[in-house]
Amino acid sequence: MDRREVGGRLIYLPADSSASSEAFLDDVLVGWRRAQITQNFRASTADRRIKLIHRMVDFVGSPPWQWSPHDADEFFAHLRGVRNLSHATIRAYQSDVRLFLEYATNPVYEWNENCGRLFGTVFSQVITEFNRATHVQPNDTQDKRRPFTKAELQQFFDLADLEPERILNSGRKGALAAWRDAVAFKVLYGWGLRAGEGRQLQLVDCSRNARAPGFGEWGLLRIRHGKAMRGSPAKQRTVLTVFDWAAEALEHWVNYGLPRYGQPLADLFPTDRGGVVAGRDLWKRMRNLVDELGFPPGLDLHSLRRAYATHLQTEYGYDLSFVQMQLGHEHAATTSIYTIASPDYRARHLEHVLSNTLRRSVGERDGARGKADDET
């Protein structure tokens, strides 16, 4: 296979050998790895995904541009039925294959154009709505729910921010909805809200905080649809803004995102058909992003609220009573359930305690030595 650069484009010329097929696939995978690194995925994540593509090539016995949905069915049926991989792992693997084929078929990279010239066939998507593993229940992480770690949260927000661009580049619809959802996720974490509280926010619920003018019009959020006690109306509360980046994301969405719906709207997170975004749609978006990132199980929409409570105390040093008021909990014991210290925090705290203990012991020893010197 001969590769030549013409007018800034890399052109592949046909060659009759299996080696040319392997070389072309290697080039595509190298390009995909580079694209993933550019998107802020970890190198280990990119390498794991590439390893899966090679694994599927070996199983199917043909390169990806010859794959069909039937090949995908057999491969994942083998992993599920013979290798006994978990349902969540199958979903994550299918997401990896889908992402690879979305990259390979993207006309921006011209892989399909070169593939057709070389082999007379092109890449096509083999992971569809008909063979993609679905969740066995709306939330299959119910028994082991946990908060996001700070590192996971950053990766999740980065990928959510990237999703609208990927949708636009692929020519699909839904970029505005993806942008809306990305901001909704940040609001749920940024103010520690339940999904229902965040979905039903309106513009009138945002206002200034006279004691924190730096947040502008986004210093306070008024929650009108809080969790109600049995037989009582919805509880209301006011949540103070603590993260400037969250206020900036919300302001940017209000100024540039909401106007794209074509009319003045009261709701912060609307749909094209009117009303507010459904919780199941937010969860579906989040589930796909989390699967793509390959995070361990236990994450759901409420994990953003759990992470907020945990990070405020263990990472940012806020008092438990402040976090309790922000979350709208009647009892501090409820808040304490949310706060799960990260390993990094525990290590730092242990180091802090040991250092203080060491300083005290050194001080006491020096004091005793000085007293002994005085007596002699």
Side-chain angles (χ1 to χ4, degrees):
M1 179 176 60
D2 185 18
R3 288 174 284 187
R4 299 178 184 176
E5 188 171 338
V6 179
R9 298 171 56 192
L10 192 61
I11 301 299
Y12 291 77
L13 301 180
D16 297 328
S17 70
S18 60
S20 65
S21 175
E22 294 176 0
F24 181 73
L25 177 58
D26 287 342
D27 285 345
V28 178
L29 291 174
V30 168
W32 186 40
R33 186 183 191 279
R34 189 179 300 117
Q36 292 180 80
I37 299 301
T38 303
Q39 296 170 8
N40 289 326
F41 284 107
R42 295 180 178 180
S44 59
T45 299
D47 292 338
R48 173 183 59 78
R49 290 171 171 170
I50 290 173
K51 184 177 179 181
L52 176 67
I53 299 303
H54 282 300
R55 186 176 177 182
M56 187 167 172
V57 168
D58 292 340
F59 179 88
V60 175
S62 60
W65 50 87
Q66 295 179 6
W67 290 350
S68 68
H70 178 72
D71 295 323
D73 294 347
E74 289 191 342
F75 177 60
F76 290 108
H78 171 78
L79 295 182
R80 187 75 172 103
V82 178
R83 299 297 303 277
N84 200 30
L85 298 186
S86 70
H87 195 75
T89 300
I90 295 298
R91 284 201 318 274
Y93 282 0
Q94 288 182 336
S95 178
D96 293 343
V97 173
R98 176 180 59 82
L99 289 171
F100 167 68
L101 292 174
E102 283 184 357
Y103 166 79
T105 57
N106 193 319
V108 172
Y109 295 102
E110 302 178 353
W111 293 119
N112 257 352
E113 179 181 340
N114 288 313
C115 188
R117 183 184 303 111
L118 287 169
F119 309 110
T121 185
V122 296
F123 293 93
S124 62
Q125 185 60 261
V126 300
I127 306 299
T128 71
E129 59 180 314
F130 300 106
N131 64 3
R132 188 177 184 186
T134 59
H135 284 244
V136 295
Q137 53 184 3
N139 179 7
D140 60 2
T141 64
Q142 190 70 24
D143 295 332
K144 41 191 174 183
R145 295 174 297 178
R146 65 179 182 86
F148 282 86
T149 66
K150 287 188 68 177
E152 288 175 338
L153 195 68
Q154 187 62 62
Q155 292 180 62
F156 175 72
F157 285 156
D158 287 345
L159 185 57
D161 288 339
L162 180 65
E163 184 69 1
E165 180 182 345
R166 295 197 302 185
I167 292 175
L168 286 174
N169 290 338
S170 68
R172 294 181 286 123
K173 296 181 179 179
L176 182 59
W179 182 9
R180 174 202 63 201
D181 295 349
V183 177
F185 295 141
K186 293 176 182 177
V187 168
L188 293 183
Y189 172 79
W191 284 270
L193 307 184
R194 300 178 180 90
E197 296 171 347
R199 290 190 306 104
Q200 299 182 79
L201 283 172
Q202 295 186 334
L203 278 171
V204 295
D205 297 325
C206 307
S207 61
R208 286 180 171 270
N209 181 353
R211 298 193 176 187
F215 294 123
E217 299 298 328
W218 322 101
L220 300 171
L221 284 189
R222 181 189 175 204
I223 308 304
R224 293 177 292 110
H225 300 278
K227 187 177 181 180
M229 301 291 289
R230 181 172 298 180
S232 302
K235 293 174 63 176
Q236 299 188 15
R237 73 182 188 279
T238 299
V239 184
L240 307 183
T241 302
V242 297
F243 298 125
D244 53 0
W245 58 263
E248 292 170 1
L250 185 55
E251 180 180 29
H252 189 259
W253 167 250
V254 170
N255 290 337
Y256 300 100
L258 278 180
R260 294 174 182 269
Y261 283 92
Q263 57 182 334
L265 296 171
D267 297 312
L268 280 178
F269 305 114
T271 64
D272 292 331
R273 299 180 179 180
V276 300
V277 61
R280 63 179 178 274
D281 293 335
L282 278 179
W283 165 236
K284 181 179 179 181
R285 178 88 63 187
M286 178 182 184
R287 182 180 65 198
N288 291 337
L289 296 174
V290 167
D291 284 350
E292 181 175 337
L293 290 165
F295 289 161
L299 297 173
D300 57 9
L301 284 172
H302 210 66
S303 293
L304 294 166
R305 178 172 162 91
R306 295 187 198 97
Y308 174 83
T310 298
H311 296 165
L312 282 191
Q313 286 192 75
T314 63
E315 305 292 340
Y316 301 109
Y318 284 89
D319 187 76
L320 175 61
S321 60
F322 174 81
V323 180
Q324 177 186 348
M325 289 186 290
Q326 290 283 94
L327 297 178
H329 287 157
E330 186 172 354
H331 303 288
T334 306
T335 307
S336 65
I337 297 174
Y338 279 65
T339 54
I340 304 174
S342 67
D344 289 342
Y345 169 79
R346 293 197 296 268
R348 291 197 306 269
H349 185 67
L350 177 61
E351 181 180 0
H352 176 71
V353 172
L354 292 177
S355 298
N356 288 340
T357 302
L358 180 62
R359 281 195 295 269
R360 284 197 302 269
S361 64
V362 171
E364 291 172 356
R365 186 174 63 249
D366 291 344
R369 183 180 303 162
K371 183 178 180 180
D373 292 341
D374 292 341
E375 291 178 350
T376 57

